[in-house]
């Protein structure tokens, strides 16, 4: 059995009270908390190894460079990339998607080309494609979903056509928890020679991700949703595609040589990593991957699914609760409404009980529009959450209902 209580003790922040109540942290789809191993790794870098990388011969720089590139190697292994060079560091999943939009898609798109996304995308997987479509004359096509939050694969197959230039799909919905059938998405796209990007922000911390087995062309993730630091993420890209893409930012470290007449770019992945990077963030990302690699992510997924099942049943038994999105395949996210009470009021009330949830549209306004609502309350689970956390959430929701009724 997965021992969430033992894991929980590795997270110092969880051992506190909020408004005089024990903290119940259920906002993991927003950002996860950090284990002591990640915190100590960041502390050690700044205390002992702080220096720029790739650019000096002194001992501190050599140690920093070794730690930075060592993290890249471990992240490549975590996702089973073919080689380390297929991991490009970015500021997060958002920047990774933008990198593909501006460096891969924009130079290739022409008037009438189509970019295929889904109704359940995060804004980060909508807006970049709108921008490049406006600049190139391409068109955004949207795959619908049903009332349960399940992707309409028949419509996906119909929309996939000779003008489709790229498919970009969220692996796990941040607003609904739906686990999309990405293997089937990729299979259908590959049959027509269409490249596929997966937004893996909500999948990478919760389930095994093998980019070779998936055969996706790009995979984007954020460290801060994987128990790592904020402001750092990664893009996996097949080497041949990365080599075909021009840099999208210029500066130091992404060059081989520079004259006023001509610049030779560095090899991948460095040609996409201009300037001094978030060195501490990358090293902390490596520590977070080390932390996650201690566990069988299939057991983590089973533990979080157990929490989801418990939460869905317990909340469903409360009068006036509307559960939003009930796909058969879901990760640890439950979105709901409490009668006519505004979700922000629910969130504020829950906070007084020490229960931290997210309220709002979750950067997924088209999902809210589909259901005819403006926002939801979202509880999302991590590997340190327990049945007691779910029970505290449900008890607090019952008090909200009683108070407002």
């Amino acid at each position: 059995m997965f021992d969430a209580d033992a894991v929980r003790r590795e997270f110092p922040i969880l051992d506190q009270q909020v408004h005089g109540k024990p903290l119940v942290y259920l906002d993991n789809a927003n950002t996860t908390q950090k284990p002591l191993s990640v915190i100590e790794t960041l502390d050690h870098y700044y205390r002992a190894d702080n220096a720029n990388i790739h650019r000096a011969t002194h001992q501190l720089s050599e140690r920093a460079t070794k730690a930075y590139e060592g993290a890249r190697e471990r992240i490549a292994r975590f996702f089973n990339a073919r080689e380390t060079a297929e991991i490009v560091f970015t500021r997060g999943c958002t920047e990774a998607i933008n990198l593909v939009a501006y460096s891969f898609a924009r130079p290739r798109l022409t008037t009438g080309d189509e970019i295929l996304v889904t109704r359940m995308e995060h804004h980060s997987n909508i807006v970049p494609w709108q921008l490049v479509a406006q600049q190139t004359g391409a068109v955004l096509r949207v795959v619908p979903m049903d009332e349960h939050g399940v992707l309409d694969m028949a419509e996906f197959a119909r929309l996939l056509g000779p003008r489709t230039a790229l498919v970009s799909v969220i692996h796990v919905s941040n607003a609904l928890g739906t686990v999309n059938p990405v293997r089937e998405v990729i299979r259908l796209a590959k049959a027509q020679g269409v490249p596929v990007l997966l937004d893996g922000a909500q999948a990478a911390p919760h389930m095994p991700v093998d980019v070779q087995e998936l055969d996706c062309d790009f995979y984007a993730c954020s460290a801060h949703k994987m128990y790592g630091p904020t402001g750092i993420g990664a893009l996996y890209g097949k080497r041949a595609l990365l080599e075909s893409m021009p840099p999208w930012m210029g500066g130091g470290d992404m060059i081989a040589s520079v004259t006023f007449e001509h610049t030779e770019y560095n090899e991948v992945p460095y040609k996409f990593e201009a300037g001094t990077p978030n060195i501490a963030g990358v090293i902390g990302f490596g520590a977070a991957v080390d932390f996650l690699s201690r566990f069988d992510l299939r057991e983590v997924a089973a533990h979080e699914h157990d929490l989801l099942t418990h939460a869905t049943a317990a909340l469903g038994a409360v009068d006036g609760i509307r559960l939003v999105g009930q796909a058969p395949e879901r990760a640890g996210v439950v979105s709901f409404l409490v009668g006519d009470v505004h979700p922000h009021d629910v969130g504020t009330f829950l906070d007084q009980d020490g229960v931290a949830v997210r309220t709002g549209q979750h950067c997924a306004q088209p999902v809210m529009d589909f259901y005819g609502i403006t926002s939801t309350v979202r509880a999302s689970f991590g590997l340190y959450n327990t049945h007691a956390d779910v029970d505290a959430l449900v008890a607090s929701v019952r008090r909200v209902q009683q108070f407002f009724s």
Side-chain angles (χ1 to χ4, degrees), residues 232-253:
I232 189 67
L235 172 71
Y236 158 79
K238 291 182 176 179
R239 182 173 188 134
L241 296 179
L242 293 176
E243 288 182 338
S244 72
M245 294 159 53
W248 76 311
M249 289 191 294
D253 215 30

Side-chain angles (χ1 to χ4, degrees), residues 25 27-34 224-225 228 230 378 384:
Y25 187 79
D27 194 17
N28 296 285
N30 199 1
T31 195
T32 52
Q33 298 303 338
K34 319 308 172 194
H224 76 100
K225 298 183 191 296
T230 56
R378 183 188 69 188
Y384 40 60

Side-chain angles (χ1 to χ4, degrees), residues 359-370:
T359 63
Q361 60 184 226
H362 317 299
C363 295
Q365 185 177 337
V367 173
M368 302 298 122
D369 292 344
F370 174 80

Side-chain angles (χ1 to χ4, degrees), residues 49-100:
D49 296 335
N50 181 45
N52 215 325
I53 59 169
H54 300 153
R55 297 181 176 125
T57 57
H58 59 77
Q59 186 64 41
L60 266 62
S61 178
E62 290 180 358
R63 292 204 302 257
T65 299
K66 182 178 180 180
Y68 182 92
E69 293 302 335
R72 194 193 306 270
E73 292 172 4
R74 300 199 299 283
I75 292 162
R77 285 198 300 271
F78 183 81
F79 290 107
N80 194 31
R82 293 168 186 81
E83 53 182 309
T84 304
E86 293 182 321
I87 300 298
V88 179
F89 289 125
T90 64
R91 289 185 300 160
C93 190
T94 298
E95 185 172 284
I97 295 170
N98 275 270
L99 169 56
V100 177

Side-chain angles (χ1 to χ4, degrees), residues 183-251:
R183 287 171 178 80
E184 181 66 4
V185 165
I186 293 167
R187 186 188 70 80
L188 291 170
K190 293 291 181 183
Q192 300 199 34
V194 178
V196 178
L197 180 150
L198 296 181
D199 173 353
Q202 299 294 338
H206 303 293
M207 61 187 66
V209 175
D210 183 331
V211 293
Q212 291 193 65
E213 185 268 329
L214 288 170
D215 196 29
C216 57
D217 297 283
F218 301 100
Y219 199 92
C221 67
S222 283
H224 76 100
K225 298 183 191 296
M226 301 171 63
Y227 308 97
T230 56
I232 189 67
L235 172 71
Y236 158 79
K238 291 182 176 179
R239 182 173 188 134
L241 296 179
L242 293 176
E243 288 182 338
S244 72
M245 294 159 53
W248 76 311
M249 289 191 294

Side-chain angles (χ1 to χ4, degrees), residues 2-4 6-11 35-38 78 227 286-300 383:
F2 183 81
D3 191 347
V7 174
R8 186 183 185 90
R9 291 192 285 272
E10 300 186 46
F11 290 80
L36 189 59
S37 59
V38 170
F78 183 81
Y227 308 97
V289 161
D290 289 344
F291 168 78
L292 278 172
S293 297
R294 288 168 37 199
F295 309 104
D296 182 337
L297 288 181
R298 290 167 297 188
E299 292 184 0
V300 171
L383 47 69

Side-chain angles (χ1 to χ4, degrees), residues 98 101-102 109 115 117 123-142 366:
N98 275 270
Y102 285 95
L109 293 172
I115 306 160
V117 298
H123 296 164
S124 295
N125 204 27
I126 299 174
V127 179
W129 308 117
Q130 289 176 330
L131 290 171
V132 297
Q134 291 166 4
Q135 295 163 9
T136 61
V139 180
L140 201 65
R141 298 294 187 199
V142 182

